[in-house]
Amino acid sequence: MVSEEILRTHLQELRRGTVVVASLVALHRPDYGYALLQRLAAHGFPVDANTLYPLLRRLEEQGLLTSEWNTEESRPRKFYRTSDEGEAVLARLLDDLAAVQTSVAGLIEGDDR
């Protein structure tokens, strides 16, 4: 029987890349970090804040997200949105994800190529 620790490690590795895709998809609509954490968790992508905030900064540095501060509320919040370049990268990532799903399904079904 596989230990919980080994399984947890592999699940974490699998989800690490999908969190980028999920974040780019979710940020079609501008949102701030904490709300994004909640939305991702509600859709099956539980992410720790210590993982998400550095990811958001990295995606912004790469030009895949844009951000702006909303200072109209009592507490200023930084809102993120997927940039045009982020949309282009997301399209490629979704294509590749679909190809990976097809390949795995073929292996499960026993397709010989």
Side-chain angles (χ1 to χ4, degrees):
M1 183 164 183
V2 175
S3 77
E4 284 298 314
E5 183 179 336
I6 290 173
L7 180 58
R8 189 172 32 255
T9 299
H10 287 290
L11 287 173
Q12 182 180 23
E13 288 177 19
L14 180 63
R15 288 183 180 270
R16 188 169 285 136
T18 58
V19 168
V20 170
V21 172
S23 296
L24 290 172
V25 169
L27 290 171
H28 285 295
R29 181 179 83 208
D31 221 341
Y32 60 98
Y34 184 72
L36 179 61
L37 276 172
Q38 292 178 317
R39 192 152 44 126
L40 290 175
H43 285 88
F45 293 93
V47 183
D48 187 77
N50 292 328
T51 299
L52 184 65
Y53 289 106
L55 172 68
L56 293 173
R57 283 192 297 275
R58 189 180 84 228
L59 294 175
E60 185 178 16
E61 287 171 7
Q62 293 171 346
L64 305 182
L65 295 178
T66 60
S67 69
E68 61 182 51
W69 284 95
N70 179 347
T71 57
E72 295 173 6
E73 298 178 22
S74 61
R75 183 174 164 216
R77 293 181 176 166
K78 189 174 186 179
F79 280 74
Y80 295 91
R81 181 184 190 96
T82 305
S83 68
D84 290 343
E85 188 173 344
E87 295 289 349
V89 168
L90 175 61
R92 295 283 307 271
L93 292 173
L94 289 173
D95 287 346
D96 197 61
L97 182 58
V100 167
Q101 289 175 304
T102 299
S103 296
V104 170
L107 286 169
I108 290 169
E109 294 167 5
D111 288 350
D112 290 328
R113 293 188 182 221

